[in-house]
Amino acid sequence: MTQPRLNMDWMLKDLATSVPQTRHVIVLSSDGLRMAQHGTDPDAADRLAAACAGLQSLSTAIAGEFPHGDGQMRLVVIEVDGGFFYLMAAGAGAFLAVLADDDVDAELMGMRMRDLVARIGSHLTSPPRVGGSVT
């Protein structure tokens, strides 16, 4: 039986509009598939989701090197010329990714991302795929 995918785009729009200088908001599965998006076209969102899968895998490997931690990645922030990239764990097998301009309020962004994940984290869970389809 195939479970219909919940449309989460409106939830992402709320994050984007509440934090000035937000460019793109994407929810992705741990294997790099786009689940929802706001502020970007599907092709760009798919490329970003695929790149995030590698980044979250690398981050989880690094987290495993901390002897008293749980080995799970919670948040990655990358600063580049022109802006910031945020990747946050957002439920079992799901991640929230945000691209923002360099003058974004980083504290507000972190708080709004945490709030979004806490409010709707169960909706941001990627169900397992069996035989190529979502179950």
Side-chain angles (χ1 to χ4, degrees), residues 73-134:
M73 181 280 283
R74 289 189 183 84
L75 174 67
V76 173
V77 179
I78 298 175
E79 181 180 6
V80 298
D81 188 25
F84 291 90
F85 167 77
Y86 301 86
L87 181 64
M88 179 178 281
F95 296 87
L96 176 62
V98 177
L99 287 176
D101 292 335
D102 58 3
D103 53 350
V104 69
D105 182 334
E107 181 179 4
L108 179 60
M109 178 63 77
M111 182 179 68
R112 296 292 294 152
M113 288 177 72
R114 282 189 302 275
D115 289 349
L116 177 63
V117 168
R119 252 184 343 180
I120 58 170
S122 63
H123 298 293
L124 297 179
T125 299
S126 176
R129 281 181 273 292
V130 177
S133 65
V134 178

Side-chain angles (χ1 to χ4, degrees), residues 4-132:
R5 174 95 41 211
L6 175 67
N7 183 335
M8 295 179 284
D9 296 353
W10 67 271
M11 295 181 258
L12 305 184
K13 180 180 180 183
D14 181 53
L15 171 65
T17 58
S18 68
V19 182
Q21 310 306 320
T22 300
R23 288 182 167 260
H24 309 297
V25 183
I26 300 167
V27 174
L28 62 131
S29 64
S30 60
D31 56 355
L33 297 177
R34 171 180 45 94
M35 298 168 63
Q37 69 186 59
H38 176 76
T40 189
D41 65 86
D43 289 338
D46 287 341
R47 286 191 307 274
L48 186 57
C52 289
L55 183 57
Q56 68 85 18
S57 178
L58 173 65
S59 301
T60 299
I62 292 169
E65 296 300 317
F66 290 87
H68 302 294
D70 62 5
Q72 299 298 309
M73 181 280 283
R74 289 189 183 84
L75 174 67
V76 173
V77 179
I78 298 175
E79 181 180 6
V80 298
D81 188 25
F84 291 90
F85 167 77
Y86 301 86
L87 181 64
M88 179 178 281
F95 296 87
L96 176 62
V98 177
L99 287 176
D101 292 335
D102 58 3
D103 53 350
V104 69
D105 182 334
E107 181 179 4
L108 179 60
M109 178 63 77
M111 182 179 68
R112 296 292 294 152
M113 288 177 72
R114 282 189 302 275
D115 289 349
L116 177 63
V117 168
R119 252 184 343 180
I120 58 170
S122 63
H123 298 293
L124 297 179
T125 299
S126 176
R129 281 181 273 292
V130 177

